[in-house]
């Protein structure tokens, strides 16, 4: 009996590094930020004034917040279909055993995912610049483009970042979907073929249902990551020009650390949390996944 | 026996604590490890009772680090701040009031950079301003005299027009847009200042972005934009290096950047042009200031370090290694180094008429409105009066809502 208790405690002992760091660096900030989201708190000054829900109410009459909300939704809604669509098509192509150089493609697609987002951003900052590759290519093809960075104009800045993001993200999901495809037993396809199913039928009735859990996983991960877009914006545009690339996480950073409104910033982060939660629940329902 | 041990212990304790150095922490952006050890070693030699722990912050995340340190109560004893941040921190009551030094140190210029609410919250340390670069070859091709660069707004317009006509790939002027700060910083707002205007009154209560002075400056800026390449500052600096820009108002870093990346480009620097009648050659005053956070427990030692750092020869040691910022100490002008660095000397002299941004705690919000106004005027061709009226109203709302 004694040894059993001892054993139990020794498990906790081994888990304690994680438990301690979780309590100090995750649970405590989490609870603290809920608390300060109901206060007016500058971060510099220890004084916290309780203001109830007014930070949350303020957000929905704050013009810049609404722009950030809209941009974030545009970003999420327009990038996810492309990222996942491209990833799905490429994964199906990779799944073909007769494809020569399969490993080369797998590694190549995945490559952008191992590079830090800041490095990718710096690279594309140059590609999009007035002196960069895209303007040069465009001029060579005879388009009359103004010598202006794609990121300097409010009409093109957000689209440019979205394009870059699709490029940088799809490879990561190719690998997940590919792994999902590999898990489908060959016997299912054989059985379907024997029963005379067309390739369309096989794709919709065998492949898709079988990779649904994987698809749910990649779509929800991608949704969360897209809602939280920050480093691209921070490195490339700082939310500008004229807030055209302002997103929720970038705005909450600005509010908290440049304007010293940590209470308001925390409230924005909880609004984002609720939005992401709703989206994830909807996706889970829509894909009727048990995962 | 016990007595003996006791005596020895007491002596040892007294020795260690009696001669123990007072340790102060110094956070800075401008000096790298090498420069800092050169400068701080000399300080410790002169002040054997003080030990300085030096931390270099990066522009990328230094600001966040400062904010979190204040929140956690672990602010350093001496802290370098960008001049535009001073009002913000002073308004939060976390800095020590250093007003008593303002009157006794008239050898230091740029006190207006640390002023907020009638008090002075630090020492101006290193000042970086903007001046006008111009391409000598393009000037000659356009029939302009490179010995005699434009000094007034109408001369700039004339020169920009002539250079712009040289070819489709050549522009008279560079105009920054599409970024948070440079659209107002690199020339629009300085043009307003030079025209004796500002975006708000001195008491920081009334917005004046639609004053006649501001409208006049905006009209000039809009006229100039016809002959300008309008893109991000980095692109403009590259374009200037490649010989595509006639003129560009920007910081002193472009001297060495252009010389090393584009050695074939022939350029010189002059003061920022002023309005045709009245006014002055205003430029944006960027500056690094030294503050002593209220949390510091070693204020006396901290001030000794601050006073040492603003000495002319000490600050010059930094300028010589990082020739983009110049000492706030007016004695530095006598340094023979400037004889070999005539372009840098123009920047040093431009500092005398450089203007810092209004010390308003909500300046961060206000400046982004000014950037937007500038972009709407030069990029979307918006009506000047209507645009300035619109943003003036919005600035006024911020001013009215600010709690002091």
């Amino acid at each position: 009996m004694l040894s059993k208790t001892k054993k139990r405690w020794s498990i906790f002992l081994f888990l304690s590094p994680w438990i301690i760091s979780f309590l100090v660096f995750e649970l405590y900030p989490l609870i603290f930020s809920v608390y300060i989201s109901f206060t007016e708190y500058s971060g510099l000054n220890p004084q916290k004034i309780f203001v109830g829900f007014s930070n949350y109410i303020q957000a929905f009459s704050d013009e810049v917040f609404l722009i950030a909300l809209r941009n974030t939704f545009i970003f999420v809604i327009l990038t996810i279909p492309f990222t996942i669509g491209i990833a799905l098509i490429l994964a199906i192509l990779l799944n073909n055993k007769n494809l020569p150089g399969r490993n080369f493609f797998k590694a190549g697609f995945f490559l952008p995912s191992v590079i830090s987002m800041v490095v990718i951003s710096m690279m594309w900052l140059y590609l999009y610049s007035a002196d960069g590759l895209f303007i040069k290519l465009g001029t060579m093809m005879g388009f009359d483009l103004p010598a202006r960075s794609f990121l300097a104009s409010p009409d093109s800045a957000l689209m440019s970042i979205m394009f870059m993001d699709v490029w940088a993200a799809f490879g990561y999901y190719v690998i997940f979907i590919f792994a999902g495809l590999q898990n489908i037993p060959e016997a299912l396809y054989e059985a379907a073929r024997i029963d005379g199913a067309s390739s369309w039928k096989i794709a919709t009735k065998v492949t898709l249902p079988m990779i649904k859990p994987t698809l749910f996983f990649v779509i929800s991960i991608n949704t969360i990551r897209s809602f939280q877009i920050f480093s691209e914006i921070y490195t490339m545009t700082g939310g500008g020009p004229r807030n055209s690339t302002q997103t929720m996480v970038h705005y909450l950073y600005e509010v908290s650390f440049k304007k010293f409104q940590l209470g308001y910033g925390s409230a924005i982060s909880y609004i984002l949390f609720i939005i992401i939660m709703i989206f994830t629940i909807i996706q889970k329902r829509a894909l009727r996944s048990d995962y | 026996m016990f007595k003996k041990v006791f005596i020895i212990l007491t002596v040892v304790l007294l020795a260690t604590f009696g001669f123990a150095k007072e340790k102060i922490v110094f956070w800075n952006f401008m000096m790298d490890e090498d420069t800092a050890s050169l400068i701080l070693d000399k300080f410790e030699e002169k002040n054997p009772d003080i030990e300085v722990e030096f931390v270099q912050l990066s522009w990328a995340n230094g600001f966040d680090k400062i904010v979190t340190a204040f929140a956690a109560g672990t602010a350093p004893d001496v802290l370098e701040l960008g001049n535009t941040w001073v009002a913000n921190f002073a308004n939060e009551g976390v800095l020590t009031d250093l007003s008593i030094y303002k009157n006794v140190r008239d050898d230091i210029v740029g006190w207006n950079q640390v002023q907020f609410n009638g008090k002075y919250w630090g020492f101006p340390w290193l000042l970086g301003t903007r001046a006008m670069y111009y391409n000598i070859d393009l000037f000659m091709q356009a029939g302009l005299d490179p010995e005699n660069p434009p000094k007034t707004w109408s001369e700039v317009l004339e020169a920009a027009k002539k250079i712009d006509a040289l070819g489709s790939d050549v522009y008279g002027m560079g105009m920054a847009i599409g970024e948070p700060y440079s659209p107002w910083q690199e020339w629009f707002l300085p043009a307003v200042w030079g025209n004796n205007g500002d975006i708000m009154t001195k008491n920081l209560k009334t917005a004046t972005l639609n004053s006649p002075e501001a409208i006049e400056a905006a009209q000039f800026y809009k006229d100039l934009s016809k002959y300008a390449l309008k893109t991000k500052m980095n692109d403009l600096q590259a374009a200037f290096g490649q010989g595509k820009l006639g003129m560009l108002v920007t910081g002193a870093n472009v001297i060495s950047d252009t010389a090393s990346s584009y050695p074939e480009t022939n350029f010189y620097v002059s003061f920022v042009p002023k309005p045709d009648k009245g006014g002055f050659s205003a430029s944006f005053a960027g500056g690094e200031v030294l503050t002593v956070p209220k949390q510091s427990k070693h204020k006396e030692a901290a001030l000794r370090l601050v006073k040492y750092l603003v000495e002319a020869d000490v600050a010059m040691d930094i300028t010589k290694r990082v020739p983009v910022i110049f000492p706030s100490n007016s004695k530095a002008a006598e340094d023979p180094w400037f004889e070999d660095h005539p372009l840098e000397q123009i920047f040093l002299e431009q500092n005398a008429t450089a203007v810092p941004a209004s010390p308003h705690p909500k300046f961060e919000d206000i400046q982004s409105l000014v950037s937007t106004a500038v972009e709407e005027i030069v990029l979307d061709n918006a009506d000047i009066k209507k645009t300035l009226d619109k943003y003036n109203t919005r600035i006024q709302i911020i001013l009215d809502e600010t709690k002091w």
Side-chain angles (χ1 to χ4, degrees):
Chain A
M1 194 61 204
L2 191 84
S3 72
K4 227 179 186 178
T5 345
K6 244 189 185 170
K7 213 174 175 183
R8 235 181 248 161
W9 279 110
S10 70
I11 292 172
F12 274 105
L13 190 72
F14 282 110
L15 283 174
S16 64
W18 179 82
I19 292 172
I20 292 166
S21 74
F22 171 76
L23 291 178
V24 175
F25 295 112
E26 290 181 49
L27 195 63
Y28 170 71
L30 216 65
I31 294 167
F32 184 68
S33 61
V34 176
Y35 164 61
I36 62 169
S37 76
F38 293 105
T39 65
E40 213 180 283
Y41 172 51
S42 78
L44 295 174
N45 203 319
Q47 184 190 28
K48 300 179 193 74
I49 307 160
F50 187 78
V51 291
F53 277 95
S54 85
N55 282 331
Y56 290 88
I57 296 162
Q58 185 194 343
F60 290 96
S61 57
D62 177 350
E63 190 196 17
V64 183
F65 172 78
L66 295 175
I67 293 173
L69 190 66
R70 192 197 64 196
N71 288 343
T72 311
F73 270 90
I74 292 177
F75 187 89
V76 168
I77 290 165
L78 292 186
T79 57
I80 290 178
F82 285 104
T83 310
I84 302 297
I86 294 171
L88 187 63
I89 293 167
L90 290 176
I92 292 171
L93 287 177
L94 276 179
N95 201 30
N96 184 346
K97 289 192 182 72
N98 302 324
L99 181 82
R102 243 167 125 205
N103 282 329
F104 170 75
F105 285 114
K106 252 193 283 177
F109 292 146
F110 194 69
L111 202 58
S113 314
V114 295
I115 311 174
S116 138
M117 202 61 218
V118 176
V119 176
I120 291 178
S121 303
M122 294 307 286
M123 198 167 86
W124 283 72
L125 205 56
Y126 168 70
L127 292 176
Y128 282 140
S129 74
D131 193 33
L133 184 73
F134 290 121
I135 299 251
K136 277 188 182 148
L137 276 179
T139 323
M140 256 162 62
M141 287 190 290
F143 290 103
D144 184 27
L145 295 170
R148 179 176 309 142
S149 165
F150 280 69
L151 300 166
S153 157
D155 304 326
S156 55
L158 185 62
M159 289 294 161
S160 306
I161 294 183
M162 281 160 49
F163 183 77
M164 177 194 86
D165 225 78
V166 170
W167 175 85
F170 76 79
Y172 185 68
Y173 301 107
V174 167
I175 300 302
F176 280 104
I177 301 175
F178 176 71
L181 289 172
Q182 296 259 297
N183 273 337
I184 303 174
E186 192 56 33
L188 288 181
Y189 289 113
E190 271 168 32
R193 256 178 248 125
I194 289 165
D195 291 344
S198 65
S199 359
W200 175 249
K201 269 269 162 67
I202 293 177
T204 52
K205 300 285 176 189
V206 180
T207 313
L208 266 184
M210 289 303 287
I211 58 163
K212 227 180 200 176
T214 316
L215 273 184
F216 167 70
F217 174 75
V218 294
I219 291 175
S220 53
I221 289 289
N222 191 6
T223 309
I224 294 170
R225 282 167 64 132
S226 302
F227 267 117
Q228 293 178 340
I229 174 177
F230 173 76
S231 45
E232 299 89 314
I233 307 289
Y234 181 78
T235 328
M236 297 176 82
T237 60
R242 291 182 248 169
N243 287 322
S244 63
T245 60
Q246 191 66 268
T247 60
M248 286 181 77
V249 177
H250 188 266
Y251 186 56
L252 84 84
Y253 161 78
E254 265 191 5
V255 164
S256 309
F257 291 102
K258 285 189 162 170
K259 301 180 181 174
F260 302 109
Q261 298 173 322
L262 247 60
Y264 183 35
S266 303
I268 294 177
S269 71
Y270 278 96
I271 295 173
L272 179 64
F273 167 73
I274 291 163
I275 292 175
I276 293 178
M277 197 169 72
I278 293 170
F279 256 72
T280 314
I281 292 171
I282 293 173
Q283 284 169 347
K284 202 169 152 80
R285 289 272 159 80
L287 285 161
R288 267 170 306 183
S289 162
D290 300 325
Y291 288 80
Chain B
M1 184 61 198
F2 180 75
K3 235 182 187 174
K4 251 186 198 167
V5 173
F6 182 76
I7 291 168
I8 292 170
L9 262 177
T10 324
V11 171
V12 169
L13 272 174
L14 274 178
T16 30
F17 283 96
F19 299 109
K21 292 184 171 187
E22 192 173 359
K23 193 170 171 187
I24 57 172
V25 181
F26 172 33
W27 284 13
N28 116 118
F29 289 88
M30 229 53 235
M31 295 192 285
D32 57 16
E33 293 278 349
D34 283 355
T35 318
S37 63
L38 172 93
I39 285 172
L40 296 176
D41 283 354
K42 275 192 214 160
F43 173 76
E44 285 175 350
E45 255 169 52
K46 285 185 195 167
N47 299 274
D49 54 328
I50 301 177
E51 189 187 336
V52 183
E53 189 193 314
F54 163 82
V55 176
Q56 190 188 9
L57 303 176
S58 76
W59 291 108
N61 63 16
F63 186 77
D64 305 349
K65 216 175 153 178
I66 294 170
V67 176
T68 23
F70 273 115
T74 55
D77 300 292
V78 178
L79 171 65
E80 174 189 337
L81 289 178
N83 63 351
T84 49
W85 302 340
V86 172
N88 232 326
F89 285 98
N91 192 41
E92 293 293 338
V94 294
L95 301 178
T96 310
D97 176 6
L98 302 180
S99 301
I100 47 163
Y101 297 100
K102 198 249 167 187
N103 294 326
V104 285
R105 294 301 295 265
D106 50 10
D107 54 331
I108 305 278
V109 297
W111 282 101
N112 52 4
Q113 305 201 5
V114 292
Q115 190 256 358
F116 171 72
N117 228 347
K119 291 185 177 135
Y120 296 85
W121 301 94
F123 267 73
W125 183 30
L126 296 160
L127 312 179
T129 189
R130 316 290 186 263
M132 189 177 78
Y133 290 75
Y134 61 97
N135 184 311
I136 295 174
D137 296 330
L138 289 179
F139 262 56
M140 304 231 280
Q141 282 174 43
L144 298 157
D145 179 10
E147 298 279 307
N148 202 0
K151 287 181 185 61
T152 63
W153 287 359
S154 54
E155 286 173 25
V156 172
L157 276 175
E158 193 57 33
K161 193 177 174 181
K162 281 184 181 157
I163 294 166
D164 200 59
L166 289 174
S168 64
D169 204 21
V170 175
Y171 304 84
M173 189 80 197
M175 205 170 258
I177 53 131
E179 288 174 320
Y181 304 100
S182 54
W184 61 265
Q185 223 169 54
E186 300 301 22
W187 204 6
F188 172 76
L189 201 46
V192 176
W193 292 329
N195 205 24
N196 296 317
D198 204 339
I199 46 175
M200 61 183 90
T201 49
K202 282 268 175 285
N203 64 8
L204 313 179
K205 300 274 186 233
T206 314
T208 54
L209 186 63
N210 58 354
S211 63
E213 293 85 4
I215 290 174
E216 220 174 74
Q219 183 62 53
F220 156 70
Y221 209 62
K222 189 179 183 178
D223 292 343
L224 189 61
S225 72
K226 281 182 244 162
Y227 316 114
L229 173 64
K230 298 176 280 268
T231 183
K232 292 184 162 221
M233 202 60 206
N234 275 342
D235 290 356
L236 292 176
Q237 293 176 352
F240 183 78
Q242 291 157 0
K244 292 179 186 168
L245 290 187
M247 295 168 278
L248 178 65
V249 176
T250 189
N253 59 307
V254 175
I255 299 174
S256 58
D257 289 356
T258 308
S260 62
S261 307
Y262 309 98
E264 69 286 355
T265 296
N266 215 345
F267 68 98
Y268 209 75
V269 175
S270 72
F271 297 129
V272 175
K274 63 186 201 59
D276 293 0
K277 282 188 223 102
F280 64 105
S281 159
S283 72
F284 174 72
E288 300 307 311
V289 309
L290 293 168
T291 62
V292 178
K294 256 190 194 155
Q295 292 171 7
S296 165
K297 291 186 182 70
H298 311 278
K299 291 211 175 74
E300 190 270 334
L303 271 163
R304 260 154 73 192
L305 176 62
V306 170
K307 286 178 196 162
Y308 166 79
L309 288 168
V310 297
E311 279 173 26
D313 54 332
V314 176
M316 266 321 281
D317 272 342
I318 303 170
T319 295
K320 285 170 192 169
R321 286 162 167 258
V322 194
V324 300
I325 28 133
F326 304 95
S328 60
N329 197 316
S330 52
K331 286 186 199 123
E334 294 154 19
D335 198 294
W337 180 84
F338 284 107
E339 286 166 23
D340 305 327
H341 296 80
L343 298 184
E344 279 84 355
Q345 183 162 16
I346 290 167
F347 275 92
L348 179 78
E349 287 169 22
Q350 179 81 65
N351 269 332
T353 52
V355 182
S358 304
H360 192 280
K362 295 274 175 215
F363 191 76
E364 187 65 33
D365 294 16
I366 295 164
Q367 60 86 20
S368 77
L369 294 175
V370 182
S371 278
T372 309
V374 174
E375 289 188 358
E376 284 184 14
I377 288 169
V378 302
L379 215 55
D380 305 349
N381 207 20
D383 181 79
I384 290 176
K385 179 81 174 65
K386 274 186 202 154
T387 312
L388 295 184
D389 277 343
K390 181 169 81 181
Y391 288 101
N392 194 64
T393 313
R394 296 177 60 172
I395 293 173
Q396 188 61 52
I397 293 171
I398 298 177
L399 298 185
D400 291 341
E401 283 175 350
T402 307
K403 287 171 230 150
W404 293 85

